[in-house]
Amino acid sequence: MVFPRQRAPILEARAQAERSLKHYASLTARVRQALMQREPDIQKAVSAAALTPPLTVRSWRPGDVFRPLGLGGRKKLQDLFVDRKIAQAERASIPIVADAQRGIVWVVGQAVAEDFRVTDPTAGVLILKARKLGDLG
């Protein structure tokens, strides 16, 4: 049985817990928003020995396939974009770096291909960098 004098501290503790939960939810939302707005990876190291020059930068094409680092298999770029929740309107603006023979090296800001991972730094490393130039329109 709870007596009237004991009820006040219980209500105060409950109100304080509710304020803490609201603060935590607000903080979590702000952290989530900040993470979503962060700049994507704009620099990657790839194995120079695995590349076949010349490298080209292009937009993605329907049917493009590559082997993302760590996946252990092939993946369509369409599926990568869907998995990463990239809007259709944004997909055409994501640069694709490809070599002359083996295909996609790097989907800028998203993934590097397994075929071009650095396994032996003494064999040569190429640093690929991308920079956002701003709105063109």
Side-chain angles (χ1 to χ4, degrees), residues 39-116:
E39 287 293 319
D41 295 340
I42 57 169
Q43 180 174 314
K44 287 291 180 188
V46 296
S47 173
L51 294 169
T52 306
L55 294 179
T56 57
V57 179
R58 62 176 178 83
S59 296
W60 81 288
R61 300 174 187 146
D64 271 346
V65 177
F66 83 122
R67 295 180 54 214
L69 185 63
L71 185 65
R74 298 169 63 93
K75 189 172 194 101
K76 287 185 178 180
L77 281 185
Q78 168 73 26
D79 295 339
L80 176 79
F81 293 149
V82 170
D83 291 349
R84 303 234 174 143
K85 296 179 175 43
I86 297 171
Q88 283 183 330
E90 294 177 35
R91 295 175 190 173
S93 66
I94 295 175
I96 308 296
V97 178
D99 80 339
Q101 189 175 32
R102 297 172 75 187
I104 296 173
V105 176
W106 181 31
V107 180
V108 176
Q110 302 302 317
V112 69
E114 178 80 29
D115 300 333
F116 303 97

